[in-house]
Amino acid sequence: MSIAEILNLRFEYEEIVANFVIPDQRKNGVLDNMIWFRKYGNKKNRFRPGYDRAVEIANKIYKSA
């Protein structure tokens, strides 16, 4: 995956999770945020619009890292 693709996915991910319930300290680092989100994000966010897409993006970026 190219850098441009990763950056586009990162932007899309950040737009989706902007209103999700994520601890404040996790909002600072995108990669840490995605790792946390993959493990614990389903507890308070699974019914929010865009949740499935956010998980898909987090998995793609994590696997390409």
Side-chain angles (χ1 to χ4, degrees), residues 1-13 31 34 53-65:
M1 191 178 315
S2 73
I3 298 288
E5 291 172 316
I6 291 171
L7 291 175
N8 284 332
L9 288 173
R10 174 185 167 177
F11 176 78
E12 184 181 353
Y13 172 82
L31 190 54
M34 287 184 184
R53 179 66 179 148
V55 170
E56 178 184 343
I57 292 170
N59 287 331
K60 278 184 181 179
I61 292 175
Y62 184 77
K63 288 177 184 175
S64 71

Side-chain angles (χ1 to χ4, degrees), residues 15-44:
E15 289 291 309
I16 293 170
V17 301
N19 295 317
F20 282 16
V21 177
I22 297 173
D24 288 337
Q25 71 270 20
R26 296 289 177 201
K27 290 186 178 184
N28 296 330
V30 175
L31 190 54
D32 288 341
N33 173 324
M34 287 184 184
I35 292 169
W36 180 90
F37 185 75
R38 290 177 68 227
K39 290 182 181 179
Y40 309 109
N42 65 330
K43 292 179 184 175
K44 293 187 179 179

